[in-house]
Amino acid sequence: MSFRPEVTVAQSEVHEDRFSRLRLIPWWDEHRIQNTRVLVVGAGALGNEVLKNLALLGFQKIAIVDLDRIEESNLSRAVLYRTSDVGRFKAEVAADAMHALSPQATVQPLVANVLYDCGLGLFHWSDLIIAGLDNREARLWINRAAWKMGKPWIDGAIEGINGIARVFVPGAPPCYECTLGETDWAILERRMSCNLLAREEEPAGRVPTTPTISSIIAGVEVQEAVKLIHGLPTLSGRGYIFEGLNHTSYVVEYTQNSDCMSHHSFEEIVQLPQRSAELTLLALLERARQDLGQYEVVLEFSRDVIYKLSCPLCQEEQELFAAVGSVRYDQGLCPRDGRVRVVTTMHNYSGEAEHGDRKLDALGLPLFDAFIARAGEREIAYLISGDERHVLAAAQPRWEA
Ligand SMILES: [Zn+2]
Ligand SMILES: [Zn+2]
């Protein structure tokens, strides 16, 4: 890129505001930055730096997903948190801090686990997703959700003084799942016992890292986001690796896996104005039967749901409705005799009387989620958009305030 001194000279006559130096970049499009909706998953070491960069660059439509509260040990790697914030939710403090950095920004905090509490509607709402996570399970889920909704996502990972940033664009494999090897799958499978109850998660946030490497990798993540929305070349399908010891950095190429389960994008997304609390499974199925012009329709859920625990010893049954993975192993034991109970799951509905009256918000699935209707080769994804106002209350247009 050439140095253009004439721009600097002309600057003396131009109105100086917060973003005037950014506008000097020849391809910079302020309106794109302002109008791009960014879903940031994780408000830890990487997430803090990602959010700081988004605020400084002028991004104005942001949602932050994080389940955890701030601990004192986070403070050495979190520019948005203060000592007085210890004990508060990361997502909420991060949103407040972003407001302070960028008063024009609308920031929606979501105190939520991305695996169980975030509907596919959030991915549909966003233009791109930026992750600052420390586990494969959440990355894999984001990868599949992003592909389904056709949204690019940017991943970052750090350990010690090393890190990696990568960009995954739906429709342009390799994707994140393509990069997983045998060791990754073994770690992923360890989390779930054979009867689909979850083992304790590895202690989160204990990865040894520094604020310097999170700053470097989050810097690359957000810079890739800026390039992506301007249509400039990105790391799509590749990874940027930074080794801090010798300041070696290089780009790795990945190979597409022909058996990859992630490569599916919804062709037809119908946004329903109703809320999950207003629709039963049967009502949604009837709607899908009409739209598809067929009676044999299957409604698939966004994720598998445990709906029953049965004790083989005392025969007691418990109705549950909770996402697979969200029920811990000890919760699966019979409260009477301690026996491991049999888990019954469901992942679709095709008209059985048993669950037809059940409202969509009583299935153990998150609000603002999608249900996929299939009949033969045809498929329609129904987004329960009536939930959006509830889930993204802060991100609603100002006239609603
Ligand atoms: Zn893939
Ligand atoms: Zn029992």
Side-chain angles (χ1 to χ4, degrees):
M1 202 171 286
S2 62
F3 180 58
R4 308 202 315 166
E6 73 277 11
V7 175
T8 321
V9 174
Q11 182 55 32
S12 61
E13 297 154 17
V14 170
H15 170 65
E16 290 266 0
D17 66 17
R18 181 188 286 253
F19 300 114
S20 52
R21 300 300 159 84
L22 298 172
R23 283 197 293 270
L24 295 181
I25 296 169
W27 46 264
W28 196 263
D29 184 342
E30 198 170 71
H31 298 289
R32 277 192 212 206
I33 300 277
Q34 287 169 356
N35 291 318
T36 299
R37 295 187 278 199
V38 189
L39 179 63
V40 178
V41 187
L46 278 173
N48 260 258
E49 290 292 321
V50 165
L51 292 165
K52 176 211 75 180
N53 288 332
L54 292 175
L56 295 181
L57 288 165
F59 283 85
Q60 295 192 357
K61 296 174 180 172
I62 295 150
I64 308 170
V65 176
D66 198 299
L67 184 66
D68 295 331
R69 292 176 188 271
I70 297 168
E71 294 173 31
E72 195 170 350
S73 62
N74 302 138
L75 298 177
S76 63
R77 287 156 295 111
V79 68
L80 304 178
Y81 305 152
R82 304 287 173 265
T83 309
S84 55
D85 297 323
V86 170
R88 293 183 60 199
F89 285 113
K90 289 179 180 176
E92 289 175 355
V93 176
D96 289 348
M98 283 198 76
H99 272 302
L101 282 172
S102 176
Q104 299 92 338
T106 304
V107 188
Q108 173 71 57
L110 295 158
V111 178
N113 183 325
V114 71
L115 291 169
Y116 316 118
D117 310 325
C118 292
L120 291 176
L122 269 180
F123 292 82
H124 185 258
W125 169 87
S126 64
D127 294 308
L128 67 97
I129 300 113
I130 305 181
L133 295 161
D134 58 6
N135 73 87
R136 292 167 180 78
E137 197 180 7
R139 288 191 180 97
L140 182 57
W141 171 254
I142 289 172
N143 188 65
R144 289 180 177 172
W147 264 77
K148 283 175 183 155
M149 290 300 170
K151 303 302 166 85
W153 77 282
I154 301 171
D155 183 36
I158 50 175
E159 186 161 5
I161 56 169
N162 307 316
I164 180 167
R166 351 185 225 196
V167 179
F168 299 108
V169 179
C175 72
Y176 172 73
E177 186 170 345
C178 292
T179 72
L180 297 178
E182 274 177 42
T183 319
D184 299 302
W185 284 112
I187 292 169
L188 276 162
E189 277 152 22
R190 218 178 291 156
R191 250 271 290 159
M192 214 68 80
S193 72
C194 52
N195 65 345
L196 294 176
L197 296 171
R199 298 215 172 89
E200 278 306 315
E201 285 176 58
E202 288 170 45
R206 301 278 161 79
V207 184
T209 56
T210 62
T212 44
I213 190 64
S214 58
S215 170
I216 290 165
I217 295 302
V220 175
E221 285 190 85
V222 177
Q223 191 153 286
E224 285 299 298
V226 168
K227 283 158 54 188
L228 192 71
I229 64 176
H230 282 86
L232 297 170
T234 67
L235 282 169
S236 176
R238 297 178 298 156
Y240 168 83
I241 292 181
F242 180 88
E243 290 175 344
L245 200 57
N246 297 303
H247 292 288
T248 315
S249 68
Y250 52 93
V251 171
V252 281
E253 306 276 345
Y254 297 113
T255 315
Q256 181 180 343
N257 175 1
S258 53
D259 297 327
C260 181
M261 302 284 285
S262 284
H263 305 172
H264 179 63
S265 301
F266 295 144
E267 277 183 18
E268 189 176 355
I269 297 171
V270 172
Q271 300 188 57
L272 299 178
Q274 292 99 327
R275 297 173 50 205
S276 297
E278 296 167 345
L279 272 173
T280 63
L281 270 178
L282 188 59
L284 182 57
L285 184 72
E286 297 285 7
R287 163 74 196 250
R289 282 170 172 164
Q290 269 193 354
D291 290 350
L292 290 162
Q294 287 193 54
Y295 189 78
E296 299 298 319
V297 173
V298 177
L299 268 187
E300 270 178 34
F301 301 169
S302 63
R303 53 211 101 190
D304 293 4
V305 166
I306 297 178
Y307 82 90
K308 199 164 62 180
L309 297 170
S310 341
C311 178
L313 193 65
C314 70
Q315 312 297 324
E316 191 97 336
E317 286 190 348
Q318 184 194 344
E319 202 180 63
L320 199 68
F321 287 97
V324 166
S326 69
V327 182
R328 290 195 323 272
Y329 188 79
D330 57 312
Q331 294 173 292
L333 304 177
C334 177
R336 279 196 190 172
D337 47 52
R339 203 47 100 79
V340 179
R341 288 181 287 180
V342 177
V343 171
T344 315
T345 64
M346 65 190 287
H347 63 276
N348 63 33
Y349 176 73
S350 49
E352 306 83 3
E354 197 186 354
H355 302 299
D357 291 339
R358 192 159 273 270
K359 296 273 171 58
L360 303 185
D361 68 343
L363 289 166
L365 296 167
L367 297 181
F368 199 18
D369 207 10
F371 292 79
I372 304 93
R374 285 218 170 81
E377 294 288 288
R378 273 200 71 192
E379 165 192 288
I380 298 176
Y382 290 98
L383 201 58
I384 314 304
S385 292
D387 291 337
E388 179 176 345
R389 289 174 57 142
H390 178 73
V391 173
L392 293 170
Q396 295 304 304
R398 288 179 198 281
W399 54 263
E400 288 198 8

